[in-house]
Amino acid sequence: MKLALAHVTLLAGAFVAALTLTTTVSHNFAFVSGGDRLDVFFDSAASAATLGAIVAVVIATVVSRTRSVGAAAGFGIVLLAVVSLVQPAGELQLRALAAGLILGGVAALTGMRERRTLQCALVVGVVSGAVMAGPLESEGIPARYADYLEPDAPQRYLLVALGVFAVLLAVSAWMKAFEKEPVPVDNKGRMLLVGIVIPVAGLVLYWLFQRSVFSLGTGEAMQNRWLLGLVVIPLLVGAAFALPAATGAVVLAALAYLGAGPTGSFEMSTALVFVALLLAGSVVGWRWRSAMVGFALLAVVAATGLFTDPPVDWINMGANAFVLPFAVGLLYASLLPTATPAATMSVTTPIAVSIPIVAEFGWTAYTPLTTIEPKFSPTAWMWTSTAVSVGSVLAAGAAFVVLRKRRGVV
């Protein structure tokens, strides 16, 4: 009973933290500060995700006593509740701070007994929260008005989820579900350095991406391609090797997820299926370690990027809805357990590094007035971008093979 309560509590906390970091706030808007777009560093969802990720890693690394962990998570609950109800100035960053405290607290609790299953619950909670944010944000808003109305559904669902988590945390404390102290973290300095560098680098890349988009149309440039996102690949591979021993292998799962993950959000029904398959993949990965199968499945999902236009777009949509979640759950579960900070980095990276690895953007030259029969005819850029996505997953898999041979990863 205590063990089941511990897992549910941890999953609920991870879900709340991810939902907080991935939904918008009522009065949030990014004002334009010239072509430099410096507002991205202090008033954007990316900067909030960076702050939340750093706070979570710091808490998961530094705090090593159950009472202190509970206090951090409890303060995060109170802060998030007050900020959500009052909506003060600086709401975006205060929410990120609260989410980081909650996520870091529940992540630290995975460093005790049943570490592997608790970390699987952490992954399922964070990924589920991030996936459900889109459907919840559009809940109750007609599609034709979605760009003009401020969503309030996420706020309601967030408060309900926060209340559930608060009750579960209180009951867990009363029943002493987390009775053992977390295992102390070794090499704290290196863990903190890597945990801070990843989200900060992601924020800088996001700023550079926004500058590229903002400068579109200057001079004679009416279209542009984003290739600087390729830096993400050596960034995360380097992070995996920089972490002590074999703890960094799970960061490669985040890279593979970024390479194969969908660019848009799901509808509610599809998101629920996604979560169910994510859980199924985690169970399979927990029973049978199959990391290379997970990398292979994600490479297949990435390859379906060629099939994003009618009449074959159902291939890409089906892969993202059904194969992707199972593969993500399988891969993460196969690479766990690991050190608590590394597990925290692996789940915050897909949120904090919120840029496309490659992208094409620009003004549409014209819109045909006649109906064109759709046919499968991928452009050269589609072939290139798909190859990059597949390549990023393969790079993660290859890095895992090298890491396994050098450091004895299972």
Side-chain angles (χ1 to χ4, degrees):
M1 179 65 181
K2 289 183 179 180
L3 189 58
L5 178 61
H7 284 78
V8 173
T9 301
L10 199 146
L11 190 151
F15 180 88
V16 168
L19 190 61
T20 303
L21 290 175
T22 50
T23 51
T24 58
V25 297
S26 303
H27 306 294
N28 178 48
F29 63 93
F31 59 86
V32 177
S33 181
D36 291 333
R37 292 308 308 269
L38 296 178
D39 55 293
V40 165
F41 287 109
F42 51 87
D43 190 31
S44 69
S47 64
T50 299
L51 174 62
I54 292 174
V55 171
V57 170
V58 171
I59 295 296
T61 304
V62 175
V63 181
S64 58
R65 296 183 61 85
T66 303
R67 288 187 177 180
S68 301
V69 169
F75 182 73
I77 291 172
V78 174
L79 178 60
L80 182 56
V82 171
V83 170
S84 299
L85 293 173
V86 178
Q87 299 181 0
E91 177 185 3
L92 190 65
Q93 306 305 328
L94 289 174
R95 281 165 55 103
L97 174 61
L101 290 170
I102 293 173
L103 183 58
V106 296
L109 291 174
T110 66
M112 48 190 301
R113 64 173 189 173
E114 302 296 334
R115 187 165 56 137
R116 190 180 178 203
T117 55
L118 286 172
Q119 289 183 350
C120 285
L122 177 74
V123 171
V124 172
V126 172
V127 176
S128 298
V131 169
M132 293 296 295
L136 291 178
E137 198 160 9
S138 59
E139 185 77 8
I141 298 180
R144 62 183 180 276
Y145 300 131
D147 293 334
Y148 307 99
L149 298 179
E150 292 182 348
D152 59 355
Q155 196 85 335
R156 297 196 306 268
Y157 285 106
L158 177 60
L159 289 173
V160 171
L162 183 63
V164 171
F165 171 57
V167 171
L168 287 172
L169 188 63
V171 174
S172 296
W174 178 64
M175 294 185 63
K176 297 182 179 179
F178 301 99
E179 55 187 8
K180 293 186 178 181
E181 297 293 340
V183 178
V185 177
D186 296 325
N187 297 290
K188 291 183 179 180
R190 196 188 308 182
M191 291 286 190
L192 287 173
L193 178 61
V194 176
I196 292 172
V197 166
I198 291 175
V200 169
L203 179 59
V204 172
L205 287 172
Y206 182 81
W207 169 62
L208 293 172
F209 177 71
Q210 289 296 315
R211 286 187 65 190
S212 298
V213 175
F214 183 80
S215 63
L216 184 67
T218 58
E220 297 181 357
M222 296 301 290
Q223 191 164 354
N224 208 344
R225 286 171 179 167
W226 169 254
L227 296 172
L228 194 56
L230 289 168
V231 173
V232 170
I233 299 175
L235 170 69
L236 297 183
V237 171
F241 281 89
L243 291 172
T247 58
V250 72
V251 176
L252 298 172
L255 172 58
Y257 184 25
L258 283 170
T263 55
S265 64
F266 298 116
E267 295 180 355
M268 180 63 74
S269 58
T270 310
L272 292 175
V273 172
F274 188 105
V275 172
L277 289 173
L278 173 69
L279 183 59
S282 299
V283 172
V284 173
W286 176 74
R287 292 290 300 274
W288 299 282
R289 291 183 183 272
S290 309
M292 294 309 298
V293 174
F295 283 118
L297 288 175
L298 288 176
V300 171
V301 174
T304 63
L306 282 176
F307 309 103
T308 55
D309 295 328
V312 293
D313 54 339
W314 58 272
I315 297 176
N316 178 257
M317 291 187 293
N320 283 325
F322 300 109
V323 182
L324 176 66
F326 182 85
V328 169
L330 175 69
L331 179 57
Y332 270 97
S334 298
L335 297 177
L336 296 173
T338 186
T340 300
T344 309
M345 295 175 212
S346 72
V347 295
T348 55
T349 294
I351 297 175
V353 184
S354 56
I355 60 159
I357 294 181
V358 292
E360 183 179 38
F361 51 90
W363 301 107
T364 302
Y366 69 95
T367 301
L369 299 178
T370 58
T371 302
I372 300 177
E373 187 69 24
K375 62 180 180 179
F376 175 65
S377 181
T379 63
W381 175 251
M382 289 179 64
W383 283 102
T384 301
S385 60
T386 301
V388 168
S389 296
V390 174
S392 64
V393 179
L394 294 180
F400 170 72
V401 171
V402 175
L403 194 62
R404 180 171 57 182
K405 289 182 177 179
R406 288 187 177 180
R407 303 181 178 179
V409 181
V410 178

